[in-house]
Amino acid sequence: MEMELDNIDYFFILVAYIVAGVIKGVTGIGFSTSCLPIMALRLDLKIAIPLVIVPSIVSNILIMLQAGHFIDVFRRFWVLYASTIPGLLIGLSILVSINVDLAKIFLGLVLILYALLALTKRPITLSESLERGLKIPVGFFTGFINGLTGSQVMPVLPYLLSLGLDKNTFIQAINISFTLSSVIMLFGMNQLGYLSPHTFLIAVGGAIPLMTIVYVGGKLRNRISQKAYQKLVLIFLLILGMILSVKSLV
C-alpha cells in the first residue's frame, strides 16, 4: 500500500519518534505504545503501525543491551514469548477487516483502571505457581491485543510488574516480548501489503537519530530508584490509557 504524505504528516512522524524515544529511554518501555497515538492523530493506524515497527526494534535492542541478563530472562519466560505468536497472528488478521476504535477504547480503559489501582494500593505480587500458570494466557492475549491495536504492553506489563523483578530484569523481560512481537508484525504487515519501500525508508531513517535519544534516556533511567521507576511506569500507563480512549472517541 503506497501512501501520500505531506509536510504535516512528516512533522507528526518526527514528533512521535522524538517523544517516544525519550519515553523509551527513560522508562525502558512503551516506544510503540506512545508513538502510535501521536501518529494516529494524523495517520491511519494501518499506515502508522508499519512506520513504528523498525524504530521499535532498534530501540528495543539498544535497551536490551543496556539491561543485560538476556539468557537468564529468556529461559525463565520462553513459554510466555512463544504463546505471544498465535495471539498476534489472530489479532493481525482481524485488524485488516474491522474498525479498531472500540478495541483501542477498551485497551485505554484497562490501562487506566490498572494504573489507578496500582498507584493507590499495594502492588500485587504473584506466587510462583501463578507465575507459571499465567504465562500462556498472558502471552496469547498480549499478542492478540498487539496485533489488533499495535500496543504491546497489555497484559504482559502488569504481569511482569507483579513478579517483583528488579529494574533491569523487568526491562529485559518486557523488551524481549516487544522485540519478538515487532519482528512478527514486520513480516505480517509486509505480507498484508502495508509495508511499502517508502514506508520502510522513512522508518529506517527515523531509527538512526532515535538510537542517540534512547541511549541518553537510558543514562537518566539508571539514576532513578526502583520505587520511583515503578511509579513512573504506572503514570506513563495512565496517561497512555487516557490518550487512547479520548483519541478513539473523537
Side-chain angles (χ1 to χ4, degrees), residues 106-248:
F106 174 75
L107 175 61
L109 292 176
V110 171
L111 288 172
I112 291 169
L113 179 61
Y114 171 77
L116 288 175
L117 287 174
L119 284 168
T120 55
K121 295 184 177 181
R122 292 184 62 184
I124 299 172
T125 301
L126 295 179
S127 64
E128 289 186 13
S129 60
L130 277 176
E131 174 188 340
R132 291 192 298 270
L134 289 174
K135 283 178 181 177
I136 292 177
V138 167
F140 177 84
F141 284 108
T142 296
F144 179 76
I145 292 172
N146 184 15
L148 193 61
T149 69
S151 176
Q152 300 174 326
V153 299
M154 289 297 286
V156 67
L157 190 148
Y159 169 78
L160 292 174
L161 278 179
S162 69
L163 300 180
L165 306 174
D166 67 78
K167 184 167 59 177
N168 284 330
T169 301
F170 166 79
I171 289 171
Q172 184 66 265
I174 199 162
N175 275 280
I176 294 174
S177 174
F178 290 164
T179 304
L180 174 64
S181 297
S182 295
V183 169
I184 296 171
M185 286 285 283
L186 184 67
F187 285 102
M189 296 303 281
N190 182 55
Q191 288 295 110
L192 294 170
Y194 293 116
L195 187 65
S196 68
H198 184 203
T199 304
F200 186 74
L201 286 175
I202 294 173
V204 170
I208 295 171
L210 176 66
M211 289 188 288
T212 302
I213 298 172
V214 172
Y215 177 79
V216 173
K219 293 297 183 181
L220 295 174
R221 184 182 68 248
N222 290 333
R223 300 183 180 183
I224 302 173
S225 69
Q226 179 80 13
K227 187 174 182 180
Y229 170 76
Q230 191 167 45
K231 183 172 289 187
L232 183 64
V233 171
L234 292 171
I235 292 172
F236 162 71
L237 287 181
L238 179 61
I239 295 171
L240 182 61
M242 295 170 66
I243 292 173
L244 280 172
S245 299
V246 172
K247 174 61 179 64
S248 301

Side-chain angles (χ1 to χ4, degrees), residues 22-31 59-60 63 170-172 174-175 178 221 229 233:
V22 172
I23 291 172
K24 180 72 173 186
V26 174
T27 68
I29 63 170
F31 179 85
S59 69
N60 292 343
I63 292 293
F170 166 79
I171 289 171
Q172 184 66 265
I174 199 162
N175 275 280
F178 290 164
R221 184 182 68 248
Y229 170 76
V233 171

